[in-house]
Amino acid sequence: MTLKTVTIVSAIALSTVAATAEEVRVYNWSDYIDEELLAKFEEETGIDLIYDVFDSNELLETKMLAGGSGYDVVVPTGSFLQRQVQAGVFMPLDRDKLSNYGNVWDVIQDRTARFDPDNAYSINYMWGTTGIGANIGKVTEALGEDAPIDSLALVFDPANMEKLDECGVHFLDAPDEMIPAALTYLDLDPNSHDKDDLEKAAGVLEAVRPYIQKFHSSEYINALANGDICVAFGWSGDILQARDRAAEADNGVEIAYNAPSEGALMWFDQMAIPVDAPNPDAAHKFIDFILDAQNMAAASNYVYYANGNKASQEFLAEDVIGDPAIYPTPAALENTYIKGPYPQKVQRIVTRLWTRVKSGT
């Protein structure tokens, strides 16, 4: 065999290995899927799954707008998705490659169409509300039996927060959610872009800043569950995970979640494919796998979030589908609002205000 022949044979062998070593790269929120599903996907498809996590929309958006993220599937929140679609960072979904597309829930599709017209670029993964997680025992001890655990006053009234300081309070590190919540507390439009309104919202947050132990978008789960803090302003499913971890540990910690009575943000996390995805075919296979009714139910049963898959509901655990904190009643849904994206000019103002709030200066 000549050297030239050996070289050709080696090249063929290498190309064969490359062809069989197919992979898909997914970038999702932390603590947001049953890891058994990831192994199941690899077993059923033969595709290697590289699964990375993040805990803020801002981090994901930086990667998306910079281009060349290297990911095949990402999961932005709806308001961020809208801005990113407008920036041209996602490819339209090929529904011919999504055999389980018929499982989607039209009620949720109608709402996500606000961010993604015709739902052309994304599929809903999970949805929920942003609200208040409270350690019932510690909050009652600090504020009494009539503690307003279902009101924004619990976290935005300095008199309450001063008393909660000793047992610990965490806020989401998410200006696009905390600023609208403060606006709602002030009885202002949570979607306001007015600079004076945004300053007033920042003022609400600055007034309670001395009593906020940490701004973080995932650490409050374990902190609540372990009794290390008594209040978290966070995402519904995360707080319900904390509730159940505490119950499983039988550690005497009782956690309750409430959507604020003044109005709660309803958010949607959407699966989408970057326009420069290395393997868009595998990306569609992953999304179609998640769209399977039983797979989607397994994900919701694990993370305690509602999903946009109607067919999955028959496979949901009763403590998921039957819990109004996860699947709100029609009346509770009427008391939610949906936030649109900030234009870049307004986003810069919000980011600057949030930096000021967090730094305490």
Side-chain angles (χ1 to χ4, degrees):
M1 184 180 292
T2 66
L3 179 59
K4 181 177 180 180
T5 304
V6 171
T7 302
I8 293 173
V9 171
S10 299
I12 292 172
L14 286 171
S15 65
T16 301
V17 170
T20 57
E22 186 178 11
E23 67 180 23
V24 61
R25 293 178 175 268
V26 176
Y27 200 35
N28 198 359
W29 292 83
S30 57
D31 296 300
Y32 214 26
I33 199 167
D34 183 349
E35 292 188 1
E36 290 184 6
L37 282 174
L38 306 182
K40 182 182 179 184
F41 172 79
E42 290 187 322
E43 291 170 5
E44 289 188 1
T45 65
I47 300 172
D48 291 336
L49 174 59
I50 310 300
Y51 190 90
D52 295 332
V53 300
F54 59 91
D55 63 12
S56 81
N57 272 299
E58 289 76 13
L59 176 60
L60 173 60
E61 182 163 78
T62 297
K63 288 181 179 290
M64 290 297 96
L65 296 182
S69 70
Y71 290 105
D72 299 297
V73 178
V74 297
V75 191
T77 298
S79 58
F80 281 76
L81 172 91
Q82 181 174 351
R83 189 164 58 213
Q84 292 157 12
V85 166
Q86 292 168 352
V89 302
F90 296 121
M91 67 173 61
L93 296 174
D94 184 347
R95 292 181 186 174
D96 289 338
K97 295 180 179 179
L98 300 175
S99 61
N100 292 312
Y101 187 81
N103 291 340
V104 299
W105 189 7
D106 58 349
V107 171
I108 300 304
Q109 290 282 88
D110 288 346
R111 292 178 180 242
T112 57
R114 170 172 177 171
F115 308 113
D116 178 8
D118 299 322
N119 292 283
Y121 293 89
S122 67
I123 296 286
N124 180 253
Y125 178 57
M126 301 282 182
W127 59 272
T129 55
T130 304
I132 302 162
N135 179 317
I136 299 298
K138 289 188 175 182
V139 171
T140 300
E141 182 180 346
L143 297 177
E145 294 290 341
D146 59 349
I149 61 172
D150 65 345
S151 170
L152 292 170
L154 183 76
V155 292
F156 290 148
D157 183 339
N160 289 332
M161 286 289 282
E162 184 177 10
K163 295 176 182 178
L164 295 170
D165 185 34
E166 288 188 13
C167 57
V169 178
H170 282 193
F171 276 13
L172 283 174
D173 188 3
D176 279 49
E177 305 209 24
M178 298 308 305
I179 295 286
L183 287 167
T184 301
Y185 177 66
L186 293 170
D187 200 25
L188 296 171
D189 179 5
N191 274 289
S192 177
H193 294 172
D194 182 81
K195 185 176 180 181
D196 289 341
D197 286 352
L198 297 173
E199 281 283 356
K200 290 175 184 176
V204 168
L205 292 160
E206 287 173 318
V208 298
R209 174 65 185 91
Y211 315 115
I212 301 170
Q213 185 183 103
K214 182 173 283 190
F215 292 89
H216 201 278
S217 296
S218 60
E219 287 186 12
Y220 63 87
I221 303 174
N222 283 331
L224 264 181
N226 297 335
D228 297 332
I229 62 173
C230 59
V231 171
F233 195 90
W235 295 308
S236 52
D238 282 359
I239 292 168
L240 294 170
Q241 282 186 56
R243 178 196 66 183
D244 293 337
R245 290 180 190 180
E248 290 169 7
D250 195 22
N251 59 5
V253 173
E254 180 187 357
I255 304 297
Y257 172 77
N258 283 285
S261 58
E262 297 88 345
L265 172 69
M266 187 177 183
W267 51 262
F268 307 86
D269 287 338
Q270 303 290 109
M271 295 183 291
I273 303 174
V275 70
D276 57 358
N279 195 342
D281 285 340
H284 281 87
K285 290 176 183 177
F286 180 81
I287 291 174
D288 198 46
F289 174 84
I290 296 297
L291 277 172
D292 174 86
Q294 294 191 49
N295 291 340
M296 190 71 255
S300 279
N301 289 338
Y302 183 84
V303 301
Y304 283 81
Y305 278 109
N307 68 66
N309 188 313
K310 179 69 173 177
S312 75
Q313 294 182 12
E314 67 173 293
F315 303 108
L316 292 174
E318 180 54 37
D319 62 348
V320 174
I321 190 67
D323 189 338
I326 302 175
Y327 281 87
T329 64
L333 280 178
E334 286 296 314
N335 196 34
T336 62
Y337 59 87
I338 299 174
K339 182 194 165 297
Y342 289 125
Q344 285 298 336
K345 183 178 179 180
V346 178
Q347 183 69 57
R348 285 193 290 271
I349 294 172
V350 168
T351 300
R352 184 167 63 249
L353 291 174
W354 188 243
T355 300
R356 193 178 83 196
V357 168
K358 287 178 62 180
S359 65
T361 57

